[in-house]
């Protein structure tokens, strides 16, 4: 296939009317709830964004955007039944991940208008520093000059076991590596194939990082590796990730097209010393499917079909997990597995509820791009 410019795809999509699937119907019967601690969480998140753990945002022009994003509602719908202490930890983690991706003054790697978008020489050391920072926060650094001492960090103490922390760290490292791959493919200057897109998307979306906190947020004791790392549990996480990624791509379709077209119109001087070039890349599944078919309706239908099939695969895998767990585990473990399955469902419905809210409940079915 001849090389196709991003601007060509956007020009073809511009002005088309695209009918999107009704996502609420697709999740009919799935649990959905909001934490009773939403108001308290909202106050604490605003304080954190403005003054505390995200203090780098205090003079950032994106500060108001971050406040308007209503991350408290995000946390309250993703983890509606978590104790408040744990709800605050997982919500603050989500805020930090959003800030890491596109909120900092000097550290925007994965956004096309970010300061490090085109400079792998600078972004790789930043990823390395991030890896070391998270390791230290979790008490997993083995190269410290001093001898280990019992931790008094409430975040570390909240984990039931070091295995939970190591599992979280593994997914954090995967996220950083897939962020690198995504940047490398983007800087190649050509539109990625659908296969290339999926090769990094599930890692760079950070959903697996939040899934690693599912067990923690359920207030359960740590499950053994034989349970949490079994094939069906791995598949359940994978399906949850795909569902959330496709949902986000559907909901953000118009925004991405408008945003990318604006960036392409303004060539900028890259930090790597090369000449001015237009920033802007296709980073979601529907435009990439459109590249293959050149038919907007077909691209949406194919994406919606993948979402529907993944939801059915999730249901089947969840049923297998729930049917098997009482036979091979204690009653407590069986309840913990059921909580994780329900937690994954809350991730999907909470993500949709939060996305609807920040879009001011705009109609989703008929989108003019």
């Amino acid at each position: 296939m001849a090389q196709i410019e991003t601007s060509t795809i956007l020009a073809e999509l511009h002005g088309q009317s695209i009918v999107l699937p009704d996502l609420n119907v697709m999740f009919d019967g799935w649990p959905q709830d909001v934490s009773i601690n939403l108001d308290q969480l909202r106050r604490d998140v605003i304080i954190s964004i403005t003054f505390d753990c995200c203090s780098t945002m205090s003079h950032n022009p994106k500060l108001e955007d971050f406040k308007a994003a209503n991350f408290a509602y995000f946390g309250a719908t993703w983890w509606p039944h978590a104790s408040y202490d744990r709800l605050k930890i997982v919500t603050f983690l989500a805020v930090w991940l959003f800030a890491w991706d596109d909120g900092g003054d000097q550290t925007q790697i994965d956004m096309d208008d970010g300061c490090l978008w085109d400079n792998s020489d600078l972004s790789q050391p930043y990823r390395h520093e991030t890896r070391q920072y998270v390791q230290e926060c979790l008490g997993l650094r083995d190269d410290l000059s001093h001898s280990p001492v019992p931790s008094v960090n409430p975040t570390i103490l909240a984990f039931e076991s070091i295995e939970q922390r190591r599992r979280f760290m593994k997914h954090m490292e995967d996220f950083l590596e897939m962020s690198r791959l995504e940047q490398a493919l983007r800087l190649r200057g050509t539109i990625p194939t659908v296969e290339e897109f999926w090769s990094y998307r599930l890692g760079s979306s950070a959903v697996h990082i939040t899934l690693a906190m599912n067990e923690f947020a359920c207030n359960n004791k740590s499950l053994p590796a034989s349970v949490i790392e079994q094939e069906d549990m791995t598949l359940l996480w994978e399906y949850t990730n795909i569902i959330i990624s496709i949902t986000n791509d559907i909901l953000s379709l118009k925004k991405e097209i408008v945003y990318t077209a604006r960036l392409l119109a303004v060539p900028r001087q890259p930090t790597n010393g090369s000449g001015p070039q237009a920033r802007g890349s296709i980073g979601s599944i529907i435009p990439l499917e459109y590249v293959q078919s050149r038919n907007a309706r077909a691209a949406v239908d194919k994406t919606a079909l993948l979402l529907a099939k993944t939801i059915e695969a999730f249901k089947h895998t969840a049923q297998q997990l729930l049917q098997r767990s009482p036979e091979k585990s204690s009653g407590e473990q069986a309840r913990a597995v059921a909580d994780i399955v329900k937690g994954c469902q809350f991730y999907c419905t909470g993500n949709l509820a939060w996305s609807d809210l920040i879009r001011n409940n705009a109609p989703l079915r008929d989108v003019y791009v």
Side-chain angles (χ1 to χ4, degrees), residues 239-258:
Y239 295 145
T240 303
N241 196 346
I242 294 172
I243 290 167
I244 292 173
S245 296
I246 294 178
T247 298
N248 287 341
D249 283 0
I250 290 173
L251 296 178
S252 64
L253 176 61
K254 180 175 182 178
K255 178 182 177 181
E256 182 195 359
I257 291 174
V258 172

Side-chain angles (χ1 to χ4, degrees), residues 163-224:
E163 284 75 21
Q164 282 184 328
R165 285 182 274 146
R166 285 174 175 162
R167 192 177 301 126
F168 174 89
M169 191 64 224
K170 174 186 179 298
H171 290 294
M172 185 72 204
E173 290 173 345
D174 289 345
F175 164 70
L176 294 171
E177 174 58 21
M178 291 302 101
S179 168
R180 183 202 63 78
L181 178 59
E182 179 181 11
Q183 184 180 33
L185 287 172
R186 185 174 66 242
L187 295 182
R188 185 182 62 185
T190 58
I191 298 174
T193 64
V194 172
E195 291 73 21
E196 287 173 331
F197 169 80
W198 284 118
S199 73
Y200 67 77
R201 176 58 189 272
L202 298 183
S204 66
S205 69
V207 172
H208 272 157
I209 296 178
T210 58
L211 281 166
M213 300 296 287
N214 191 356
E215 182 185 13
F216 170 86
C218 289
N219 308 314
N220 292 322
K221 292 187 179 298
S222 179
L223 287 167

Side-chain angles (χ1 to χ4, degrees), residues 82-213:
S83 65
Y84 186 68
D85 287 344
R86 296 194 177 201
L87 173 61
K88 194 161 78 166
I89 288 172
V90 290
T91 302
F92 281 15
L93 167 67
V95 174
W96 180 78
L97 287 168
F98 278 108
W100 189 93
D101 190 39
D102 68 335
D105 288 327
Q106 303 296 329
T107 57
Q108 299 170 22
I109 291 179
D110 294 328
M111 298 298 290
D112 283 320
D113 62 349
C115 299
L116 301 180
W117 73 282
D118 67 331
N119 198 321
S120 57
D121 291 338
L122 292 178
S123 58
Q124 271 304 91
Y126 176 62
R127 292 187 182 97
H128 178 68
E129 291 169 4
T130 300
R131 183 180 294 106
Q132 290 185 319
Y133 170 74
V134 176
Q135 285 175 333
E136 188 162 348
C137 287
L138 294 174
L140 297 176
R141 289 283 298 275
D142 56 7
D143 59 345
L144 299 177
S145 58
H146 54 75
S147 300
V149 296
S151 176
V152 295
N153 185 312
T155 302
I156 294 177
L157 293 175
F159 284 93
E160 292 290 343
S161 70
I162 192 171
E163 284 75 21
Q164 282 184 328
R165 285 182 274 146
R166 285 174 175 162
R167 192 177 301 126
F168 174 89
M169 191 64 224
K170 174 186 179 298
H171 290 294
M172 185 72 204
E173 290 173 345
D174 289 345
F175 164 70
L176 294 171
E177 174 58 21
M178 291 302 101
S179 168
R180 183 202 63 78
L181 178 59
E182 179 181 11
Q183 184 180 33
L185 287 172
R186 185 174 66 242
L187 295 182
R188 185 182 62 185
T190 58
I191 298 174
T193 64
V194 172
E195 291 73 21
E196 287 173 331
F197 169 80
W198 284 118
S199 73
Y200 67 77
R201 176 58 189 272
L202 298 183
S204 66
S205 69
V207 172
H208 272 157
I209 296 178
T210 58
L211 281 166
M213 300 296 287

Side-chain angles (χ1 to χ4, degrees), residues 275-315:
Q277 34 182 288
R279 300 187 183 194
S281 58
I282 294 177
S284 64
I285 187 61
I286 293 177
L288 293 180
E289 290 289 0
Y290 175 81
V291 171
Q292 304 297 316
S293 65
R294 285 305 216 276
N295 183 309
R297 177 61 182 271
V300 171
D301 288 349
K302 188 173 182 179
T303 302
L305 179 61
L306 176 59
L307 177 58
K309 287 182 175 180
T310 307
I311 290 173
E312 288 305 310
F314 178 101
K315 292 177 181 178

Side-chain angles (χ1 to χ4, degrees), residues 35 37-49 52-54 71-72 74-76 79-96 154-155 158 213 216-217 219:
S35 171
N37 296 304
L38 174 59
D39 290 340
Q40 182 181 355
L41 184 62
R42 184 176 287 118
R43 290 191 295 269
D44 286 342
V45 166
I46 291 299
I47 291 171
S48 175
I49 290 174
D52 298 334
C53 67
C54 295
F71 291 120
F74 176 98
W79 301 284
H81 298 161
S83 65
Y84 186 68
D85 287 344
R86 296 194 177 201
L87 173 61
K88 194 161 78 166
I89 288 172
V90 290
T91 302
F92 281 15
L93 167 67
V95 174
W96 180 78
T155 302
M213 300 296 287
F216 170 86
N219 308 314

